[in-house]
Amino acid sequence: MTVYSKITKKLIKVTIRNPKTNATIDWINGTNAGKDEIEYLRKNYKFELNHLKASMGKSVSQRPVVEIGDGYLFVILHFPVFRGENIIAEEVDFFVGKKYLVTLHNDNIPTLADFFNFCKKEPNCLISFDRDTPTVLLYQLLERMLLSCFPVLDQNSLAITAVEERLFSQPNEKLTVAKILLLRRNMVSLRKIMQNHKTILKKLMEAESTLLSEQDVKHFFRQLVDYSKRIWEIIESQKEMTEIFNDTNQSLMRNRSNEVIKTLTIFSVLTFPLTLFATIFSMKMVNGMPFLDAPNNFWIIVQFLIVIALSMLLYFEKKSWL
């Protein structure tokens, strides 16, 4: 059975009782923890102040952490979530004791909130009934949160496919560049978030602590490491696709720019000699030339310039410059 109690507005506790052994595990879940929540945890669980400060709602850690405190294990992990079209990192701080699990976050990870609400309503919510340790509870939570990364990767994959279709259908270049830049930004975020998960999970497995059951860690956490590896492989594959599309788009843009420059160059080359001859014939001394004394001398000059332009075009065509 489970017992639900509200400690503060932002701190809620679920007590899970094993009907077989009558042992209990407390899961305390805090969202946007403030001074009241931090003070409660400090007084009742004797957490170190630097760990509590790192877990406040306005504090954001730039890296994952695994540290052994006085009677508890402190872990910081990040998970990817979509905010609009951007992938951002959401932090979850874990305090793992012998009979409790404390999670602190900013309430932006639906998977964590859904699982906590499920545990409040469902008496048989945990496989920890077979093992009275918070290690199993931590495993189930981490498993769900890692599995929630796959839909994020699927959504990112759809965005990559959309960019591919746009890239080869002669779309708006500016919009294509913006989409590719968004993809690259999301890939950087994903790599930053997930690159240390495998290492952190292995540290948890190797941690020399009586807080985590060695049997449970080896049995369950090895699967979490496999999830982390699969996620990283997908991220690397998506990164390669994104970089290929970026290189392809740059090549297409260079080709289009070269075509424009080529057209302008041909136009300049054609007009330069024509301008030169027109300037020469427009000089006052031209009026003294016998073959231009006729009344149709203007049209003779025009025809002469046209012949020059056509001759240059034929020459360019023969050289395959067009």
Side-chain angles (χ1 to χ4, degrees), residues 101-115:
L101 171 67
V102 178
T103 54
L104 299 176
H105 54 96
N106 289 336
D107 200 22
N108 292 323
I109 304 179
T111 302
L112 194 158
D114 292 344
F115 185 50

Side-chain angles (χ1 to χ4, degrees), residues 55-322:
S55 302
M56 292 189 69
K58 295 181 179 180
S59 178
V60 179
S61 175
Q62 298 300 315
R63 59 184 177 86
V65 173
V66 175
E67 295 180 358
I68 298 177
D70 185 12
Y72 67 94
L73 192 69
F74 178 61
V75 182
I76 296 178
L77 286 174
H78 299 90
F79 296 90
V81 296
F82 267 101
R83 182 177 294 174
E85 293 184 332
N86 297 316
I87 294 176
I88 62 171
E90 288 295 341
E91 178 182 323
V92 183
D93 302 335
F94 304 88
F95 296 84
V96 188
K98 290 184 177 181
K99 291 296 179 180
Y100 63 82
L101 171 67
V102 178
T103 54
L104 299 176
H105 54 96
N106 289 336
D107 200 22
N108 292 323
I109 304 179
T111 302
L112 194 158
D114 292 344
F115 185 50
F116 186 75
N117 291 331
F118 176 72
C119 289
K120 287 193 299 184
K121 300 175 183 177
E122 178 56 52
N124 300 317
C125 60
L126 299 176
I127 59 174
S128 58
F129 280 26
D130 297 330
R131 293 178 173 87
D132 301 322
T133 65
T135 308
V136 181
L137 176 59
L138 176 64
Y139 158 75
Q140 285 200 106
L141 178 57
L142 290 178
E143 181 187 37
R144 284 165 170 78
M145 295 180 72
L146 284 174
L147 289 176
S148 71
C149 294
F150 287 101
V152 174
L153 296 176
D154 291 342
Q155 189 173 345
N156 199 52
S157 180
L158 292 175
I160 292 174
T161 302
V163 167
E164 180 182 9
E165 294 174 354
R166 178 180 296 277
L167 186 62
F168 295 104
S169 61
Q170 296 183 351
N172 185 310
E173 288 186 3
K174 291 183 178 180
L175 187 57
T176 303
V177 171
K179 292 292 184 182
I180 291 177
L181 289 177
L182 177 61
L183 275 180
R184 298 186 75 188
R185 176 184 177 183
N186 285 341
M187 292 312 307
V188 170
S189 297
L190 277 171
R191 287 171 59 83
K192 181 180 178 181
I193 294 167
M194 301 302 302
Q195 66 181 350
N196 290 318
H197 270 234
K198 181 175 67 176
T199 303
I200 294 299
L201 292 172
K202 286 184 176 180
K203 284 184 177 180
L204 281 173
M205 294 174 65
E206 299 168 356
E208 297 180 359
S209 173
T210 59
L211 300 171
L212 298 180
S213 167
E214 183 178 351
Q215 181 183 1
D216 291 342
V217 168
K218 288 183 178 180
H219 180 71
F220 295 114
F221 278 65
R222 189 175 293 110
Q223 186 174 2
L224 297 182
V225 174
D226 291 337
Y227 287 148
S228 179
K229 289 180 180 178
R230 286 172 54 195
I231 291 171
W232 185 253
E233 289 171 357
I234 295 173
I235 291 174
E236 286 297 286
S237 176
Q238 291 185 351
K239 175 181 178 294
E240 290 180 6
M241 292 293 294
T242 302
E243 293 303 321
I244 289 173
F245 291 154
N246 181 61
D247 294 340
T248 302
N249 185 59
Q250 289 184 354
S251 297
L252 291 174
M253 292 179 64
R254 283 195 297 268
N255 288 338
R256 294 188 185 109
S257 298
N258 290 338
E259 288 296 324
V260 173
I261 294 174
K262 176 182 175 181
T263 302
L264 294 175
T265 302
I266 291 173
F267 182 77
S268 300
V269 171
L270 287 175
T271 56
F272 175 74
L274 302 183
T275 304
L276 176 62
F277 283 112
T279 303
I280 294 174
F281 286 130
S282 67
M283 294 180 180
K284 291 184 178 180
M285 64 172 51
V286 170
N287 295 327
M289 296 182 180
F291 70 96
L292 293 178
D293 289 340
N296 294 326
N297 57 357
F298 172 76
W299 296 110
I300 295 174
I301 296 174
V302 170
Q303 293 174 11
F304 180 70
L305 296 178
I306 291 175
V307 169
I308 294 176
L310 291 175
S311 299
M312 294 181 68
L313 287 173
L314 290 174
Y315 180 76
F316 293 160
E317 181 68 26
K318 184 177 179 180
K319 292 289 187 179
S320 300
W321 292 348
L322 295 178

